[in-house]
Amino acid sequence: MEAIIFSIVAAVAVVSGIGVVIQRRAMYSALLLVANFFCLAVLYILLGAYFIAAVQVAVYAGAVMVLMLFVIMLLDVGHPEPLERRFRPFKPLGIVAAVAFLTLAILVTLNSQTPARGGVPDLDNITAVATALYTRYLLPFEVTSVLLLAAILGAVVIAHKREVKGTSENGAGRVLLDPQRHLVHDRDGGRVPEKERAHDLHVR
Amino acid sequence: MAGVFLRKNALTIFMSVELMLNAVNLAFVAFARMLNQVDGQVFVFFVMTVAAAEVAVGLAIIIDIFRSRRSVDVDDLSALRG
């Protein structure tokens, strides 16, 4: 049984990993990367590393990929079709999936009489990891927290729009103060739409 | 895993880096299992933390580059070429 699961999951992981590299569009490779992460989480569970599997799903498949997708959608590199038309064929599929999930959730909620804390399988692994983490590796652990803090600050500082710049791009000699409008203006490749420009003039 | 060298889109390169880190993580966990030690898993934990930090900073840099150049094509970034 384990061998079957392993071979299936490993095959999916390899295929999706190759797909990430081969795929032309960033969005598709991101979604394939999510699939790959989940496969890796299953592999970790098979290897008995429950804690790492949970962290894999939470950190990678959750946080990192959401950040990644966010940036991909924000920058959206070269999509000729608008998003809505591309997703239209999948609409019935989405409805079916939503209804299936809802019924499943309701059934599970109604039928679960056993208490959740009944049989937690094999906590030894997690305790072992925690013991090692908080005793032998305590110093690296704390250094990691400092690293995360530095990363947060660095990301904010780098991604933050520089306000003081002397001249703005449309040569008006002043920086647009509204960040929303500045973003729109930026995305448009320097060309300010007619309405925006009128609005700008009005503001000035 | 050599997708880093083949792609031009900075975001795809980033995802390839993530993929490589995950491959290393898998190797770590497999060896930890084989040697019956927990140190490998602790190390995977640290690798994940560093990867998360790297993603945050890297994406910020990509956004900044996109703002100033309107492209995430790494071939456009030849300002440091001699």
Side-chain angles (χ1 to χ4, degrees):
Chain A
M1 185 63 192
E2 241 176 54
I4 299 171
I5 295 176
F6 172 78
S7 26
I8 293 173
V9 172
V12 174
V14 169
V15 168
S16 60
I18 294 173
V20 170
V21 177
I22 288 179
Q23 200 60 243
R24 285 222 148 256
R25 289 193 175 162
M27 188 55 109
Y28 290 160
S29 39
L31 293 178
L32 281 171
L33 196 56
V34 174
N36 193 12
F37 285 166
F38 274 110
C39 291
L40 277 180
V42 174
L43 287 181
Y44 291 153
I45 290 176
L46 286 182
L47 284 169
Y50 301 113
F51 173 67
I52 295 296
V55 172
Q56 168 86 12
V57 171
V59 172
Y60 265 120
V64 168
M65 284 325 290
V66 165
L67 206 63
M68 211 77 135
L69 288 176
F70 209 76
V71 171
I72 290 174
M73 288 181 178
L74 190 69
L75 305 186
D76 205 5
V77 200
H79 276 309
E81 276 184 284
L83 210 67
E84 206 179 323
R85 205 181 315 142
R86 261 189 296 142
F87 281 137
R88 193 161 291 158
F90 300 110
K91 214 180 240 176
L93 215 62
I95 294 172
V96 167
V99 169
F101 177 75
L102 198 66
T103 38
L104 213 63
I106 291 173
L107 282 179
V108 168
T109 319
L110 290 182
N111 288 339
S112 62
Q113 272 109 20
T114 49
R117 61 183 63 208
V120 180
D122 183 22
L123 268 177
D124 287 346
N125 172 260
I126 299 174
T127 25
V129 171
T131 311
L133 199 60
Y134 284 112
T135 54
R136 222 175 334 154
Y137 295 99
L138 186 60
L139 182 66
F141 184 68
E142 297 296 338
V143 173
T144 305
S145 68
V146 177
L147 171 77
L148 278 180
L149 181 65
I152 293 169
L153 288 178
V156 169
V157 167
I158 293 172
H160 192 254
K161 186 163 61 71
R162 291 179 185 83
E163 301 276 349
V164 197
K165 225 176 189 178
T167 58
S168 78
E169 301 219 353
N170 46 6
R174 57 185 283 187
V175 181
L176 294 179
L177 287 179
D178 188 356
Q180 207 60 44
R181 209 182 325 137
H182 190 69
L183 198 64
V184 168
H185 161 135
D186 250 9
R187 247 207 229 139
D188 229 346
R191 279 171 283 115
V192 186
E194 211 53 42
K195 218 167 79 184
E196 291 285 328
R197 202 176 296 153
H199 186 59
D200 276 358
L201 285 177
H202 184 67
V203 166
R204 272 176 215 129
Chain B
M1 303 292 167
V4 178
F5 303 109
L6 299 177
R7 300 261 63 139
K8 286 181 177 178
N9 190 342
L11 287 167
T12 318
I13 291 176
F14 233 72
M15 284 188 266
S16 304
V17 171
E18 293 296 312
L19 210 55
M20 288 197 277
L21 284 171
N22 265 295
V24 174
N25 280 352
L26 186 58
F28 265 126
V29 173
F31 272 107
R33 161 81 173 210
M34 196 180 89
L35 301 174
N36 235 333
Q37 282 182 335
V38 87
D39 299 16
Q41 296 188 20
V42 174
F43 209 86
V44 167
F45 179 73
F46 289 130
V47 170
M48 278 182 178
T49 323
V50 174
E54 170 239 341
V55 164
V57 175
L59 287 180
I61 292 176
I62 288 179
I63 286 180
D64 205 46
I65 289 172
F66 184 79
R67 254 192 215 140
S68 61
R69 296 178 180 257
R70 304 194 196 320
S71 131
V72 285
D73 194 332
V74 286
D75 283 349
D76 290 348
L77 304 176
S78 53
L80 280 183
R81 185 174 290 163

